[in-house]
Amino acid sequence: LDPAGFDLVDSLVEELSAQGVTVVMASHIVDRAGALCERALLLDKGLVRWEGAAHEIGRAWGVLHGRAA
C-alpha cells in the first residue's frame, strides 16, 4: 500500500474495532501492527513464535531476531 492506502486501512480497522468487530490482519510493519492492534502474534515459517499484547510486539520481534535483550 502507498501512504494514503495505509491511512485508509488504519482508519477502517480503528472504526471496526470501535464497533467491537474483530479484525485479523497480517503485516510486516511491526510498529504499525503494534499501534493498531490489541493482541498480536509473530509467525515464523508457519509456527507461532510469540503471542501477547500488541504494544510489546516490537520488543518481542527484537528478542526473536537477536536484536534486543
Side-chain angles (χ1 to χ4, degrees), residues 12-34:
L12 181 59
V13 169
E14 289 172 353
E15 181 180 325
L16 291 171
S17 180
Q19 295 173 20
V21 175
T22 297
V23 178
V24 177
M25 62 181 283
S27 179
H28 288 92
I29 304 171
V30 175
D31 293 338
R32 179 173 173 257

Side-chain angles (χ1 to χ4, degrees), residues 11-67:
S11 295
L12 181 59
V13 169
E14 289 172 353
E15 181 180 325
L16 291 171
S17 180
Q19 295 173 20
V21 175
T22 297
V23 178
V24 177
M25 62 181 283
S27 179
H28 288 92
I29 304 171
V30 175
D31 293 338
R32 179 173 173 257
L36 280 177
C37 304
E38 293 177 20
R39 303 282 304 158
L41 60 85
L42 295 173
L43 296 172
D44 181 31
K45 297 179 180 130
L47 300 173
V48 175
R49 298 294 183 185
W50 176 87
E51 182 178 355
H55 69 273
E56 297 176 354
I57 196 171
R59 180 194 57 78
W61 187 91
V63 169
L64 289 172
H65 290 87
R67 298 189 179 146

